[in-house]
Structures are given as C-alpha cells and as structure tokens.
Amino acid sequence: MKIIINQFSRLHETSKSQNKEVSKLSIYYLLNILKKISNKKNGGIFVRIILNRLYNIFNENINNQIDTIHMIAVKWYINYLRMEDNSFEYLYIYNKSFKKNISLIIKNNKKKIFKSLIGSLIDGISVVYRNDQAIYEYTGLLLYNNYLEVYKNNKLEEKNKKIINITNKIYTPKNYKNFIEEIEKVKKILTENLELEQLNDKLKTLEEKLYKWGADNLKYNNIMVISCYMGAYCLFAKNENFINEIWNYKQPKDTVATHTGHNIFPEKMETIFSLIIDYKIFQERFAFFEEHHDLVPYMKKYIMLLIFKIQINTKNDLAKPHINKFNSIELENLKYKINQLKKVSNNLIEDKNLFDILKLNKDTDMI
C-alpha cells in the first residue's frame, strides 16, 4: 500500500508541469485510496501517510495556480465527514492534518483558498436541529405496546434525558461511542421485552434516526471547534482580517442577498460555555510546532471576541447565561474560566485596531 501511495505522489510531481490532466488524475486516485482506507479498521498508519503526502503537495504548490488546489487543501476532509457509516476512527488524524492546512493558508495569506475552505465547511455539512423526539419515539415503543411498568422499572424517562444531554455534547469520537453505548442499553431493554412482531422495521428505522442525530452532532460540533482553531490562529499569525471571512461568509457587509447554509462559529453563549466546559477548548494546541508558542492565549482572546460579538448581536444579558445543564463542579470550573476571560477582556478592550478590523462596537460592555 505504501508503495502505491508513493507511486501516485511521484506521478503527480513528475507530471504536474507537463500534463495537468495526468496530475489531476493522480490526486484523484490518491483521494480515492484515502477514502477506501478510511472506511476500514486499523488503517491509521496509511491514512497518516496519505494525508502527509497531500500536505507536502499542498505546501509545495500553495503559491501556484493549479486546478487541484481545492482537492488537496479541503476536499478530502469534507469527503471523510460525509462518509456513510462513519465510525470516526480517524477523525483525530484528519483534524490534525486539516488544521495544518488551515495554518498554512492563513500564514501565507491565501484568502481565496481560505474562502473556498469556509464555503466547503458551510455547504458540506448539514446544520443540526435538536431532535429530542427521536429518543422518546424509540423508548415509546414500550408505551405503544402497553409495557408501562417495564418503562417505569427501567427508568427510561431518566435514560431519555441522559441521552439528550449526551447528544448535545458530542465533540469527539469517544463522546460518540458513549452515545452509541447508551442507545445499545436502551435497545437491550426493548428487545428483551417486546415480541419480534411488535418491533418490525420500526426499531431499525428509529435506531438509524438516532445514530444519524448523534453523528450529525459530532460533525457539526467538530466543525465548530475547527472554526475556533481558525480564529485563534488568525490572531497568532496577525492576520486578523481573515476572521471576517469566518464571521461574514454567509452575509458579507456589501451583499445584496443572504447565502444559504449555517454559520460555523458559535452564536450563542450556551455554545461558548459548552466549548469551554464540555470540550475544554482552552486545551487546544497548534497542529504542529510553532517555535515554542502556545495557542491558549490566542484561543482565549478569540473566545472573548466571540462573546463580545454575541453580546452585540443578541443583546444577551451575560449575567444570566444558559447554565442549568452544568453540575456544581462544572459551574465552579466555568466561573474560574470566566474570571480568566475577564483579564483577557481588559487587555482586549485597548486594542482599537483589532476592533476596527473586525468592525465591532468597542463601546459595548464586556463581561
């Protein structure tokens, strides 16, 4: 397999200056191999090899006008997220490689590629709507077939709420695995108490709906984290204007129409708090070595800018956030993090140039 990958890489290098079609074909086959391997277990080493090859090709050609630049920079990532029956086994590897591409684009000031990347993330992944009803329909099979005591004895009402809470916090493959395990526990109760003829195709249909709900949450939340990495890296690379591309892609300042799709950055305080507590966004690191620099201060600064933007857009009372879903320990952690952000806020408020670049109203009160 490694030999085949190397052959396609060499074919691309030798042909790109002589025959654009052959070069494009070699990239196409490399992406096709990647897609097939990514659908199989225990292929991590080959996934890494191909993604490293693609990164090297992108790095060497980022300043060249080549037809395959979008395929090399972005398409492989969207392909992976949109794979059917995706177990997300290689999501960490894909994310790390994609973040390397993002860093390269921002560092080299490639706005056209960056806008293409943003557009692909917005248009390539479906927006997730709350679908609490799905789990109630699933466990409701017992009620529908007059098994009220079984429903009560197995505390399925509590299990429903637990699954809904888990679903809204799916940021990683591990979170997704926990979600699947909870569904399997409920499935065991259903199959042990219902006759097969009572299940029919209904059980499978509702299961597929639940799994899709969980997978869509993982993909969307993952993109949200990726967008925060973008914003933080823009601040690190002193290319703050790129943040406007993240925030305004759907609705540029001079647009005459609104683009369809969804935003990929947090627009609610509830989402910000979940990123801080559930995902631990302040533990994010650079995708590769950046001369001993630390991403954390830039991430805190970017999260503070998002809070400021939310406050301007929604006029939210930030003293009354949506915190009812957090337990006492999480609330104490959140309080500590918010106090850290207040220090960032005090420094940030003095940066008039940054507020001008991002077209934010500096006179709005911060937290």
Side-chain angles (χ1 to χ4, degrees), residues 109-123:
N109 198 34
K110 297 299 177 182
K111 184 173 282 191
K112 184 177 179 181
I113 303 175
F114 191 70
K115 291 177 74 169
S116 172
L117 182 150
I118 299 292
S120 293
L121 293 178
I122 288 175
D123 300 330

Side-chain angles (χ1 to χ4, degrees), residues 246-257:
I246 304 172
W247 290 359
N248 302 321
Y249 180 89
K250 274 186 62 188
Q251 188 71 22
K253 298 295 182 182
D254 59 350
T255 189
V256 293

Side-chain angles (χ1 to χ4, degrees), residues 134-155:
I135 184 61
Y136 283 103
E137 288 180 13
Y138 191 61
T139 57
L141 288 173
L142 286 169
L143 299 177
Y144 180 78
N145 290 283
N146 300 314
Y147 286 90
L148 179 59
E149 288 305 311
V150 175
Y151 188 91
K152 287 181 177 180
N153 292 339
N154 285 280
K155 299 181 179 179

Side-chain angles (χ1 to χ4, degrees), residues 171-276:
Y171 287 97
T172 66
K174 184 178 179 181
N175 297 151
Y176 182 64
K177 183 180 179 182
N178 291 340
F179 164 77
I180 296 295
E181 288 172 353
E182 291 300 322
I183 299 297
E184 290 297 317
K185 290 177 186 176
V186 173
K187 180 180 179 179
K188 187 172 185 291
I189 296 170
L190 295 181
T191 54
E192 286 178 351
N193 290 280
L194 291 172
E195 300 294 333
L196 288 176
E197 57 267 21
Q198 292 173 310
L199 297 175
N200 296 322
D201 295 329
K202 188 74 173 175
L203 185 66
K204 183 178 180 182
T205 300
L206 291 174
E207 276 176 18
E208 289 174 353
K209 187 187 292 187
L210 282 171
Y211 292 150
K212 185 179 186 304
W213 182 32
D216 285 349
N217 268 279
L218 171 56
K219 288 185 276 189
Y220 186 68
N221 289 340
N222 180 70
I223 293 298
M224 195 77 68
V225 171
I226 291 288
S227 79
C228 290
Y229 179 87
M230 289 181 199
Y233 198 89
C234 287
L235 294 172
F236 165 73
K238 294 182 170 39
N239 205 345
E240 297 90 345
N241 188 51
F242 271 41
I243 294 175
N244 285 316
E245 302 300 332
I246 304 172
W247 290 359
N248 302 321
Y249 180 89
K250 274 186 62 188
Q251 188 71 22
K253 298 295 182 182
D254 59 350
T255 189
V256 293
T258 303
H259 291 265
T260 58
H262 53 84
N263 283 318
I264 59 171
F265 60 89
E267 297 180 277
K268 297 179 181 178
M269 286 305 303
E270 183 179 2
T271 308
I272 295 286
F273 291 149
S274 181
L275 284 166
I276 293 172

Side-chain angles (χ1 to χ4, degrees), residues 11 13 69 98-99 111 116 166 259 298 306 354 365:
L11 176 61
E13 292 305 311
I69 200 71
F98 192 51
K99 287 174 183 175
K111 184 173 282 191
S116 172
I166 290 173
H259 291 265
Y298 302 98
L306 284 171
L354 178 59
D365 292 332

Side-chain angles (χ1 to χ4, degrees), residues 11-25:
L11 176 61
H12 172 79
E13 292 305 311
T14 56
S15 65
K16 65 184 179 183
S17 60
Q18 302 167 9
N19 189 326
K20 288 184 178 180
E21 289 305 315
V22 174
S23 180
K24 187 185 296 185
L25 194 62

